[in-house]
Amino acid sequence: MSEPDADHVKSELAPTDSVRLALARTPARVLAGRAGPGYRTGTWLRLREDHAIARDAVRTELDLTRDLGVLVETYRLFEVCTLASSKDEYLARPDLGRKLSEAAITQISAECPCGADLQLVIGDGLSPTAVAAQVPSLVPLLAAEAERRGWRFGRPFAVRYCRVGVLNDVGEVLDPAVVVLLIGERPGLATADGLSAYLAYRPRVGHTDADRNLISNIHANGVPLAEAARRVATLATTMMREQASGVRVKEDLRALGSDALSPNQ
């Protein structure tokens, strides 16, 4: 039995205006139709394609020159590594991705100034694809926000095989007021290039997720880059004022205007 064409499916389903509005705002597979008990062929093939893209995003390796070359030139970006020695070990041992290697600590101490107001760290995370897609344009926006506020902007660096907990070691080594970790999110079956920004006020060893704040879904169909930069800077301002982060600090999107409350975000 042949698969119905798109026009027939739309006519058959006859979605209400509210359903059409929902479909326009999400890549989720809703009202996809079926063939017997399963997906239609087209839906199944797109699902397989998205799954392959997600797997590739996790398995790819960050290449500093290829993926972040413009930042290498502008900010003298350099790369260090966690205690994980390979992608396989990184995936199997999350704990190793939360700690900087001794060589990393030595290099960071030598090349980055201590006591910055805003220290930026780039972590490959579970999607180096997201880092390559979002970070080259986002970093200059964050640097501009820091300059506009008169902040000391620490020299950015990249961390290979990085987990969020690496924030604690960065805080111990450089003692910045606020650390921002830009890290690739775990890919889903709708997007593999989503970036997250984790923020922490004076992070230290022993701090947990309760001591951090998160701005997630930074990508073309989520939080736009300019909006992400404004949200990071505004949240960092609050952290510096309150001298706290995590559960003690709440992000107030109303302060950013109507754009931050868009349903697409």
Side-chain angles (χ1 to χ4, degrees), residues 198-233:
Y198 284 85
L199 295 84
Y201 179 79
R202 300 204 183 278
R204 291 293 185 269
V205 170
H207 284 190
T208 68
D209 284 342
D211 302 292
R212 305 166 187 138
N213 295 78
L214 166 65
I215 297 171
S216 62
N217 292 310
I218 302 171
H219 57 87
N221 295 316
V223 180
L225 296 178
E227 183 65 33
R230 285 202 301 140
R231 288 177 62 181
V232 167

Side-chain angles (χ1 to χ4, degrees), residues 163-225:
R163 300 277 182 175
V164 175
V166 83
L167 282 164
N168 294 350
D169 277 1
V170 174
E172 293 281 359
V173 174
L174 296 178
D175 191 31
V178 174
V179 184
V180 179
L181 173 64
L182 304 178
I183 188 168
E185 292 180 356
R186 179 183 287 105
L189 292 177
T191 179
D193 61 356
L195 190 78
S196 284
Y198 284 85
L199 295 84
Y201 179 79
R202 300 204 183 278
R204 291 293 185 269
V205 170
H207 284 190
T208 68
D209 284 342
D211 302 292
R212 305 166 187 138
N213 295 78
L214 166 65
I215 297 171
S216 62
N217 292 310
I218 302 171
H219 57 87
N221 295 316
V223 180
L225 296 178

Side-chain angles (χ1 to χ4, degrees), residues 22 24 59 84 104 124 126 139 146 217 219 230 239:
R59 279 290 175 180
D124 53 1
L126 288 170
V139 169
N217 292 310
H219 57 87
R230 285 202 301 140
M239 290 178 176

Side-chain angles (χ1 to χ4, degrees), residues 1 13 31 66 122 143 148 159 176 194 229 245:
M1 180 176 176
L13 294 175
L31 294 180
R66 179 195 66 206
I122 301 164
R148 188 164 67 86
V159 180
S245 59

Side-chain angles (χ1 to χ4, degrees), residues 85-218:
S85 59
S86 68
K87 179 72 74 170
D88 286 339
E89 187 172 49
Y90 167 75
L91 294 174
R93 293 283 306 275
D95 58 312
L96 297 181
R98 301 185 186 113
K99 298 289 295 180
L100 292 170
S101 67
E102 287 299 325
I105 292 173
T106 298
Q107 186 173 1
I108 292 168
S109 299
E111 302 202 30
C112 295
C114 290
D117 294 312
L118 192 73
Q119 177 62 53
L120 200 59
V121 181
I122 301 164
D124 53 1
L126 288 170
S127 180
T129 298
V131 173
Q134 317 302 343
V135 168
S137 297
L138 181 55
V139 169
L141 294 174
L142 291 171
E145 291 284 353
E147 182 178 9
R148 188 164 67 86
R149 289 164 170 77
W151 291 343
R152 292 167 294 170
F153 188 66
R155 181 180 175 185
F157 58 91
V159 180
R160 186 178 293 275
Y161 306 140
C162 180
R163 300 277 182 175
V164 175
V166 83
L167 282 164
N168 294 350
D169 277 1
V170 174
E172 293 281 359
V173 174
L174 296 178
D175 191 31
V178 174
V179 184
V180 179
L181 173 64
L182 304 178
I183 188 168
E185 292 180 356
R186 179 183 287 105
L189 292 177
T191 179
D193 61 356
L195 190 78
S196 284
Y198 284 85
L199 295 84
Y201 179 79
R202 300 204 183 278
R204 291 293 185 269
V205 170
H207 284 190
T208 68
D209 284 342
D211 302 292
R212 305 166 187 138
N213 295 78
L214 166 65
I215 297 171
S216 62
N217 292 310
I218 302 171

Side-chain angles (χ1 to χ4, degrees), residues 29-49:
R29 291 171 175 83
V30 293
L31 294 180
R34 62 186 177 87
Y39 286 126
R40 291 190 170 96
T41 302
T43 303
W44 174 245
L45 290 175
R46 286 190 295 273
L47 182 64
R48 291 288 301 273
E49 179 185 24

